Amino acid sequence: MASRTVAKDIITLRGSAAIVSEFFGYAANSVMFFYSILYNRGVYPEESFAKVKKYGLPMLLTQDEGVKSFITNLTAQLSEWLEAGKLQRVVMVIMSKATNEVLERWNFSIETDSHVFEKGVSREKSDREIMREIQAIMRQIASSITYLPCLDEPCVFDVLAYTDTDVAVPFTWIESDPKLIANPQMVKLHSFDTKIHKVDTLVSYKNDEWDEQ
Amino acid sequence: MILRTPPPKKQRAEPILHESPSPQVASEGRLVIYEDNPLAAPPPESPHQPSDHLLCTYQCRQMVKADFIDALSNAEKQIRDYQSKLEILNENLSKAEVERKKFRDQFLYAEQELAAAKGREQMLHDQLLKEVNDSQERFKKQLETNNELKGKLQNELNLRKKAESSAASAEEKAADIEGKLTQFSQSIEREKKQLQNELSQLKGESKLSISRISADLERTEFRANCAEKESELLKEQLEDLKKQLNECLNQKSEVEKKMSSFTFQEVTSSESSILIKHLQEELRNYESEVREARKLKSSHEDIELLKAKLLEEKGRRERAESELSKLQEQQICLSNLEKELSLWKLIMKDIPGVSCPEDIPVKFATLQKEVIASTMKIGETNARLKQIEVGLDAAQLAKQNAEAEAALDKEKAEILKSEVKRIELMLSMVTEERNKLSNAINELKRHKNEEAGDEVASGTVVQELESSLAKKESCIKELERSLHEQKEINDRQHNEIKMLHDRLNNEARRIKSLDRETDRLRSEISLLESKLGHGDYSASNTKVLRMVNTLAVDNEAKQTIEALQTELQKTKEKLQALEELKSQSGDTGKLVDSYISEKITKLKEQIATLEKREERYKTVFADRISVFRRACCELFGYKNILGKNIELFS
């Protein structure tokens, strides 16, 4: 967070983009660990996660090199798009490995303050408050095990980015369909706001057959 | 009456003294005029009557006469008084009769008015009853209409629910079919595009490969020619070198000879021979090393050529493998597409009215139109329902108003009934009083004949009549006033009720419209929130990008990179060994022969020039290949980024 001063908690566009992209990385790790706890399928086993302290909470980060590089590349690209003000939404999609059916969507909607982006002004907000808000979201992601339906099959994840149409598509990204769920159940989680970027979190999941009955 | 027959005298003084105050007494006192009538001797009436009558004198007679006259005058006076009194009484009686007549007329008038009021009350009562009956009938009719409306509303609601459910199911089906169609069409188009792109890519690549192969052929031919020329040059150089070497050897032998001849005293022959042998051996070694260096250089060049060929072949192999994998994937996709096509054909068979894929958009358009029509119908039914609800509310309000009015009318009827009862009571009272008056009048008539002491009673009766009539008039006036006031109050209340009713209706309509707007806004908000959470987006503002899962690809790249890195290390080691050899050969050559070192330096210079040429070729190749890659990127939209692989060529 090189562009923030310690004395006044001033946040610039670059600093806010770094906070938000870091949050995505840790949130993705939380979601993956959550599934690894549930399934323990060996794709990302529980042992491959290491405990670190972040946002005042014990966070678990994967040690798999491939996943690490994937997430670092992802967060780097997201940070770039956030600084350019081109990113509208980030979606982490959980799909069945066998049928490619979308089972869950972790939706992170982003609202950018266009005034900051156009004029280059900075905002004031204390780090502690932002961390507290992110902490609440992480706790909710961890506690979502209580209401999300059980998935009894191996799953894979993918990451979608909703951007403006004038964004140049990087080499490692391709255009895709939104991978929607038909008649989903939705649960809205907390949001956090850096005064420049506001991130709303929502998880939508496929209706469980037992619930429908 | 004066009796002509005088009573006995003795008796005359006593009865006269006793009977003189009253004329009746006088008439019974029998004043007898003294007449000497010896003949008419009175019968001895009483033994005690003295015969004193003969003693009565003229005075007595005059006294009696005077008394009689006084009595007469008194009686006359009394008569006159009585006559005057009688006249007065007659006058009073006439007056009373006149007043009685007047009161009787007034009484009759009051009776008529009472009858009229009664008639009006009866009419009002009848009217009220009629109104109550009418309101009750209206109320019943409204209840019936309400019940009918409720039944209609129920029917409409049921129809609406059915229509909504059918519309929802149709919409869902249509949406599902739409989504599936769009997905499939998108996927088909994407795959088509991909296949077309791949086809074009393959074509281009094949062309490129052909051109590359031809270029490679030319290059190899050129290289071969160059290599031949170089080899010829090298051969010539080698021959020159050999000649020079021979010359050097000859010179060396001569020098050795000279040295042996000149330096024989200083160095023993064995040592010189040993030195010479050593030098010869070293020369041989150097020659062998030079040969090995040449061989190594040629082999290095061969290796580089082979490596380049190997890389090309590897690239071709990778491309072929990727194309094979792509082929397999595309075969799988084709099989999936065929399955989907068969599924869609089966679905098409299920869909009525669709025989070929071209009918699907038409059918879809018809379904959309049907959906639109059904939504319009739903909207219309909703509007009708709303109207019916509004009408029902209005009817309920009217019903409530009618109930209130009926209650008010009932209250009024009860009040009027009470008033009627009161008036009847008053009427009964009035009739009683009238009867009393009639009785009093009859009594007056009776007493009029008798003319004594009846005037007071008639006056009281007349006063009673007057008071009762006045009371009745006042009651009637009060009744009329109260009726009028009640009418005014009723009219005012009616008007207020109507105004309030209108205001209530307007407010109820406003409330309904506001409720409808809030429902619409809530539905829109929920729709938007669901769309937001669902992940919908507008294609004009947003595009969805997916990060390619490079985890699998990276592993292969890592393996190739590791293999190339090992080869690079091996070549580096070999180069280091060569350089060490070169440096060693350079160090030891100084001791032996400067000419050889010069040759070696010349060879090194040649090697340097060759290397420079090679580098130049490489830079030219890099420039040409970058232009080629840029052209490919612009043409096909794909570009390869080589990071670590570039180091292999340096």
Side-chain angles (χ1 to χ4, degrees), chain B residues 318-430:
Chain B
E318 283 168 9
R319 257 179 271 128
E321 282 173 0
S322 63
E323 280 165 19
L324 273 168
S325 62
K326 280 178 190 173
L327 254 172
Q328 286 174 358
E329 286 174 3
Q330 278 165 19
Q331 278 175 357
I332 292 162
C333 289
L334 270 166
S335 61
N336 289 333
L337 279 169
E338 282 173 3
K339 283 177 193 172
E340 283 172 7
L341 268 167
S342 60
L343 275 168
W344 276 109
K345 278 177 186 171
L346 286 166
I347 289 166
M348 258 169 35
K349 280 178 190 172
D350 293 334
I351 297 169
V354 173
S355 58
C356 62
E358 293 164 355
D359 294 338
I360 289 170
V362 174
K363 184 74 180 174
F364 196 64
T366 53
L367 277 171
Q368 278 179 340
K369 282 176 191 170
E370 281 175 15
V371 165
I372 290 161
S374 63
T375 49
M376 280 170 65
K377 277 181 193 172
I378 287 162
E380 285 172 7
T381 51
N382 283 334
R384 248 186 284 152
L385 264 168
K386 294 284 179 189
Q387 283 175 4
I388 288 163
E389 282 175 4
V390 166
L392 189 70
D393 294 331
Q396 281 178 351
L397 284 165
K399 174 186 159 187
Q400 286 170 4
N401 290 333
E403 283 175 356
E405 280 177 14
L408 280 168
D409 290 335
K410 277 182 186 172
E411 286 176 7
K412 276 185 211 170
E414 284 171 5
I415 289 163
L416 283 167
K417 277 180 187 171
S418 63
E419 282 188 5
V420 160
K421 280 179 187 172
R422 195 165 59 85
I423 288 162
E424 281 174 358
L425 278 170
M426 284 177 74
L427 262 171
S428 62
M429 280 168 61
V430 163

Side-chain angles (χ1 to χ4, degrees), chain A residues 66-67 73 88-89 105 158-165 167 171-176 178 180-181 184 186, chain B residues 186 190 529-530 532-537 539-551 554 639 641:
Chain A
V67 181
N73 292 333
Q88 298 175 10
R89 217 190 287 199
R105 288 177 106 249
D158 209 344
V159 178
L160 306 177
Y162 286 56
T163 63
D164 295 349
T165 49
V167 158
F171 181 60
T172 50
W173 292 73
I174 55 171
E175 286 203 31
S176 166
L180 301 174
I181 298 172
M186 286 182 271
Chain B
Q186 282 173 8
R190 251 183 271 133
E529 280 180 353
S530 67
L532 194 72
H534 198 240
D536 285 344
Y537 64 99
S540 58
N541 303 327
T542 311
K543 65 181 174 188
V544 181
L545 302 174
R546 185 171 71 87
M547 190 164 176
V548 174
N549 196 350
T550 57
L551 294 169
D554 283 341
K639 69 178 179 182
I641 295 169

